[in-house]
Amino acid sequence: MLSAGTPEARNGGTATAEPVLRVDGLTAGYGKHVVLDGVALVVGEGELVALLGHNGAGKTTALRSIVGQVRPKAGSIHLDGAAVTGMSPAVTAKRGMSMVPQGQGVFPSMTVEENLRLAAAVATRRSSNPRPQDEVRAFVLDMFGILKRRHKDKAGSFSGGQRQMLAIGMALMTQPRLMLLDEPSTGLAPVLVDEVLAAVRKVNQELGTSVLLVEQDTKRVLAVSDRVYVIKLGVPVFDGTPAEMHQQDWSQLF
Amino acid sequence: MDLLLSLAKNGVIIGLLYGLFAYGMSLIIATSGVLHFAHGLTLVGSAYSFWFFFQEKELGVFVGVLAALAVGGLIGVLVELVIYRPLRRIHATDMVFLVASLSVLTLGQAAIVFIFGTDPKSVRPNEFLRWSADVGPFNIRTWDLLILGASALAFAALYLLQRRTAVGLSFRAVGDNPQRAETLGIKLQHTYVWVFLAGSLVAVLPAMLLAVQNPVTPSMGFDLLVKAVIALVIGGIGSMPGALLGGILIGLVESLATYKLPTEWAEFTLYALLFIFVIVRPNGLTKGALRTA
């Protein structure tokens, strides 16, 4: 894993190592309404990067543009050095992005086991996978004990926190190059938020999966991230490490 | 009493056919969200193909079955590619899909009248199909056994498809939440084509089985469609036990009604049944309910 401290790593490495994700000048919106204006961000190999900002800052739109649910008006998105700008979500998923959408990350009429198996089937259609499926599956079930205990239960019977864990598990079964999480803490009790964020960090450190995490809960996120971006009303206002973030006047950022 | 039992048996057997046809349609509706009334055309098209190649051209049962499967599958896939896909692109409302689907059915029926005329066609039963035996109070025909066997096989295959295979799981996932399915890497357009193919192939079984017992007519698709819709209102969309239960209930009611009522009243009893369900249990017996596209 690259350390996040050096300037090279912060910018996703030098010319020799392309970052996993590079977003430049991303401008996006709905109709004539511009939500994001010139956002740039980089996620290096094995990094956990957080994208913070208030409600309506454009965080979710940024994620949706990156995975292809929203077509950018301007700017470019590169995954492992290859342009994926404006490609459909199914294509960006095949290329190695896996988004965990806010709230609705599971298929409620299917069992836990079926949800995970379907996600794994997507990955088996890809040519190169770093790990055997069984290993990833064991990791997921080990990390989220509830998924093992309620293997045969329908995901629709799960609580919000349990669904979030299953959704993360599904994203991992696709063996992504980059996992993108949209506010995984929404609607969860604080103790569950800690559990979910700890799990995201564990995935990042033990599987080496690069992560782009969108959140509102700034304090908790700073504790687990390598680097942080803040956007305000669609415009980037901060880019740095959690330590640098702590020295900022947060009232200017949010 | 023997008559009643015999009517009940016939009701269950024909009900299995209704259930099979309804479940193919239900599979398509649950995944794609389209109220696929043109499913009736799939039935007519494959029944005529079977009659044409097996009876008219005398090319044997194997060619007849293959032709019916090919035509049935093709109709379903073509309707998806030529009608529904462009409509989805322009974000057409459910009502537009419904009207388009009904238009395809009526146009298709008109085309069949144009090609083959309105007179009913019949497949003359061969030695094998004429066999029957008395078992207790029941007269069991080859046809009854064919339906039992075919529906058992088809339902088992569909059950396994949706639980064991990636493509079957993707049908259910897309039905649950298409956006999430897409972010997981499932191509929606491919999934729709596959589900239309699968659901349409299921309709070919009742098409052929009906063709060997009843006259083949241009309106047979619409008649069965009405029954399928009633079965799905009773049983719920997307539910396998629901479609089976709904189909069998319709078969039973339709058949048993003739015990006391003149045969032409059989259809009336179906609408009475539908009316009761729409008022009392609009979501059906099982929990599968109509989902918007």
Side-chain angles (χ1 to χ4, degrees):
Chain A
M1 193 179 97
L2 281 175
S3 102
T6 65
E8 284 81 4
R10 278 215 238 162
N11 295 322
T14 54
T16 52
E18 275 289 337
V20 175
L21 177 73
R22 194 178 73 232
V23 175
D24 289 305
L26 179 64
T27 301
Y30 305 92
K32 287 208 165 113
H33 185 57
V34 173
V35 179
L36 277 185
D37 196 1
V39 168
L41 60 88
V42 161
V43 180
E45 182 80 50
E47 267 194 311
L48 197 163
V49 174
L51 178 59
L52 300 168
H54 256 317
N55 241 340
K59 306 183 299 291
T60 297
T61 305
L63 276 196
R64 290 169 57 95
S65 308
I66 292 167
V67 300
Q69 284 183 331
V70 171
R71 188 174 279 272
K73 293 180 190 295
S76 67
I77 298 150
H78 288 79
L79 185 71
D80 285 321
V84 292
T85 321
M87 288 182 179
S88 82
V91 174
T92 59
K94 286 249 161 69
R95 296 281 186 96
M97 289 194 199
S98 199
M99 172 144 112
V100 180
Q102 194 180 340
Q104 305 194 313
V106 303
F107 302 110
S109 78
M110 289 161 52
T111 65
V112 169
E113 192 266 335
E114 287 169 337
N115 269 287
L116 292 174
R117 191 146 45 87
L118 176 66
V122 175
T124 52
R125 288 202 290 266
R126 265 207 309 267
S127 51
S128 64
N129 281 306
R131 289 161 205 279
Q133 289 288 0
D134 291 347
E135 194 181 305
V136 181
R137 175 190 207 79
F139 179 87
V140 168
L141 294 181
D142 198 42
M143 184 166 63
F144 299 124
I146 185 78
L147 300 185
K148 196 187 258 173
R149 286 195 298 280
R150 298 189 58 187
H151 216 51
K152 295 281 168 206
D153 289 356
K154 289 223 166 107
S157 69
F158 271 27
S159 71
Q162 293 164 342
R163 283 183 197 217
Q164 199 57 257
M165 292 170 193
L166 177 55
I168 293 172
M170 287 161 69
L172 289 179
M173 290 307 290
T174 69
Q175 303 215 27
R177 287 286 294 145
L178 176 70
M179 180 161 75
L180 306 99
L181 297 119
D182 190 7
E183 307 207 11
S185 72
T186 305
L188 301 189
V191 58
L192 277 176
V193 175
D194 288 335
E195 192 178 338
V196 166
L197 289 180
V200 171
R201 189 53 166 167
K202 188 175 173 194
V203 165
N204 169 248
Q205 289 181 332
E206 294 187 15
L207 295 180
T209 311
S210 309
V211 177
L212 180 58
L213 170 66
V214 157
E215 262 300 344
Q216 290 202 51
D217 194 334
T218 307
K219 274 194 187 132
R220 285 194 158 83
V221 168
L222 287 182
V224 298
S225 309
D226 294 323
R227 278 186 314 112
V228 183
Y229 292 91
V230 181
I231 51 177
K232 186 178 183 179
L233 295 173
V235 181
V237 290
F238 176 80
D239 164 11
T241 61
E244 288 163 355
M245 177 87 181
H246 278 298
Q247 289 156 13
Q248 297 280 315
D249 176 7
W250 287 13
S251 64
Q252 300 295 307
L253 297 178
F254 294 98
Chain B
M1 193 58 203
D2 275 6
L3 175 61
L4 206 59
L5 277 176
S6 171
L7 286 174
K9 182 220 72 174
N10 287 344
V12 170
I13 291 294
I14 193 84
L16 281 173
L17 271 194
Y18 296 161
L20 205 52
F21 179 75
Y23 189 64
M25 183 171 162
S26 164
L27 191 70
I28 290 173
I29 299 173
T31 297
S32 72
V34 179
L35 271 177
H36 181 50
F37 282 3
H39 201 53
L41 185 64
T42 306
L43 181 101
V44 191
S46 43
Y48 268 86
S49 310
F50 182 69
W51 162 79
F52 185 75
F53 288 99
F54 176 63
Q55 184 71 47
E56 190 77 358
K57 295 287 167 198
E58 295 183 336
L59 289 173
V61 70
F62 186 67
V63 174
V65 170
L66 271 187
L69 285 169
V71 169
L74 200 65
I75 291 175
V77 170
L78 278 181
V79 171
E80 155 61 18
L81 290 178
V82 178
I83 312 287
Y84 300 147
R85 183 175 286 186
L87 287 179
R88 222 174 270 124
R89 204 167 287 144
I90 60 166
H91 304 289
T93 61
D94 290 357
M95 186 59 86
V96 176
F97 275 95
L98 183 72
V99 171
S101 196
L102 269 175
S103 312
V104 169
L105 175 59
T106 33
L107 276 175
Q109 286 192 2
I112 283 170
V113 170
F114 185 73
I115 300 168
F116 296 107
T118 48
D119 54 315
K121 312 293 180 195
S122 57
V123 174
R124 276 183 298 280
N126 55 21
E127 196 67 20
F128 172 67
L129 283 167
R130 274 200 300 269
W131 176 88
S132 76
D134 286 324
V135 181
F138 304 117
N139 181 254
I140 305 288
R141 299 159 294 179
T142 308
W143 194 62
D144 300 328
L145 297 175
L146 275 178
I147 290 180
L148 271 177
S151 51
L153 271 179
F155 277 114
L158 286 168
Y159 182 86
L160 289 177
L161 173 80
Q162 290 182 85
R163 272 172 182 69
R164 294 272 161 262
T165 70
V167 72
L169 285 173
S170 70
F171 289 171
R172 295 164 62 201
V174 170
D176 265 6
N177 187 343
Q179 281 80 34
R180 174 57 177 144
E182 215 180 5
T183 58
L184 210 54
I186 295 167
K187 287 210 168 84
L188 295 183
Q189 297 201 332
H190 292 189
T191 308
Y192 293 142
V193 170
W194 282 112
V195 83
F196 273 87
L197 180 66
S200 300
L201 290 180
V202 174
V204 177
L205 285 175
M208 294 187 299
L209 288 164
L210 277 174
V212 297
Q213 187 74 11
N214 298 322
V216 177
T217 67
S219 67
M220 68 189 288
F222 193 82
D223 298 344
L224 210 60
L225 181 73
V226 171
K227 285 167 188 163
V229 169
I230 301 176
L232 294 183
V233 167
I234 293 173
I237 303 278
S239 149
M240 185 179 282
L244 252 177
L245 223 67
I248 290 174
L249 194 60
I250 289 175
L252 273 175
V253 167
E254 193 184 52
S255 181
L256 291 177
T258 60
Y259 185 62
K260 287 283 179 201
L261 295 169
T263 33
E264 58 269 29
W265 280 73
E267 203 142 319
F268 164 79
T269 56
L270 285 187
Y271 288 106
L273 183 73
L274 173 65
F275 186 71
I276 293 168
F277 265 94
V278 166
I279 299 294
V280 181
R281 289 208 62 153
N283 285 339
L285 287 174
T286 57
K287 62 182 165 29
L290 273 177
R291 189 181 66 89
T292 50

